[in-house]
Amino acid sequence: MTIASNVDDDPRRDTVLRIARRSFTADGYSVTRMEPIAREAGVSTATLYALFPSKEHLFAAVIERAADEFAQRMDRVRDEAQGDARRQLSQFMIGYAGFMGDPFIRSIFRLVMAERGRFPKLALHFFERGRSDFGGVLMQALQRLNATGELAVSKPSWAAGQLMGMIEHPIFFMPLVTGDERQATRSHDQIVEDAVETFMARYGAR
């Protein structure tokens, strides 16, 4: 599902997407209506439909924009990681913990999960992007550290999944399922320290 390129640079597009995202995450797809979004964005309904021909197009654009923002955040995490293996992994996972612990991130994941029956291809695309944009960044770091002899990782994809899983379970999945008010008793720094220590015990070069 694509939007005509001649409206991609319209400054009103960003305003509409911001308002639509808030409406979709707060009310869900079915309840969200185009007319209130147009009013709040200060555009006519005709203009809104010129930017996004249908609610389906608007929803797809909201999810794609969110995925773009997620990828940019993970790129910053990758660019800031430096030092030896333990330090790089700690920096990466602290950034990842902050990302996964963001209530906005969980709201987008909840939205995609809730609407995956209605938009299966969009949901699959979103999760495939997550796997490549997030897991791919960590796998590249593991491969570099493996090449320098600091790690002994035979399956970077497995190792990346294990490390990310130790962060995701307490910080992301628990509040995703039980509600944002339910948070891990350990701080993000403690969770990351424990995860990296466990990872280094398994994969650190000896």
Side-chain angles (χ1 to χ4, degrees):
M1 189 175 297
T2 59
I3 307 300
S5 60
N6 63 336
V7 301
D8 286 347
D9 297 329
D10 192 315
R12 296 169 295 185
R13 179 181 167 86
D14 287 339
T15 301
V16 169
L17 285 173
R18 184 179 68 254
I19 293 167
R21 181 167 69 186
R22 186 171 67 241
S23 182
F24 282 131
T25 55
D27 302 326
Y29 179 84
S30 296
V31 174
T32 296
R33 296 172 55 241
M34 297 288 274
E35 291 76 10
I37 292 173
R39 284 198 301 271
E40 188 171 351
V43 300
S44 68
T45 303
T47 296
L48 177 58
Y49 279 105
L51 294 169
F52 304 98
S54 68
K55 188 166 74 167
E56 290 86 351
H57 283 83
L58 179 57
F59 182 78
V62 165
I63 298 305
E64 189 69 15
R65 172 65 62 84
D68 289 342
E69 292 177 7
F70 298 170
Q72 291 168 7
R73 289 180 62 169
M74 292 313 298
D75 282 344
R76 289 196 294 272
V77 170
R78 177 197 59 198
D79 294 342
E80 292 169 1
Q82 55 185 331
D84 61 16
R86 187 183 298 273
R87 181 172 177 78
Q88 284 193 45
L89 293 176
S90 295
Q91 290 174 333
F92 185 98
M93 299 319 292
I94 286 172
Y96 189 63
F99 172 80
M100 297 305 286
D102 187 334
F104 164 66
I105 303 301
R106 286 194 295 273
S107 71
I108 293 295
F109 272 84
R110 286 192 185 103
L111 178 61
V112 174
M113 290 170 62
E115 301 300 338
R116 68 185 182 276
R118 191 191 308 268
F119 299 102
K121 291 183 179 179
L122 179 62
L124 179 61
H125 173 68
F126 179 79
F127 288 113
E128 288 293 338
R129 278 202 61 179
R131 185 168 65 178
S132 62
D133 292 342
F134 310 159
V137 171
L138 179 56
M139 282 189 286
Q140 290 170 9
L142 296 181
Q143 289 167 342
R144 289 195 302 271
L145 294 168
N146 203 51
T148 63
E150 295 180 74
L151 295 178
V153 176
S154 59
K155 295 282 189 180
S157 60
W158 292 4
Q162 291 165 0
L163 181 54
M164 294 171 76
M166 286 188 282
I167 302 298
E168 291 163 357
H169 177 74
I171 291 177
F172 178 75
F173 286 112
M174 186 173 73
L176 181 72
V177 173
T178 61
D180 289 337
E181 68 279 359
R182 182 77 178 270
Q183 300 291 328
T185 56
R186 292 178 295 163
S187 69
H188 286 190
D189 286 350
Q190 289 173 321
I191 291 170
V192 168
E193 182 179 355
D194 291 344
V196 172
E197 184 66 29
T198 300
F199 187 87
M200 292 298 298
R202 171 62 179 84
Y203 293 108
R206 295 174 176 82

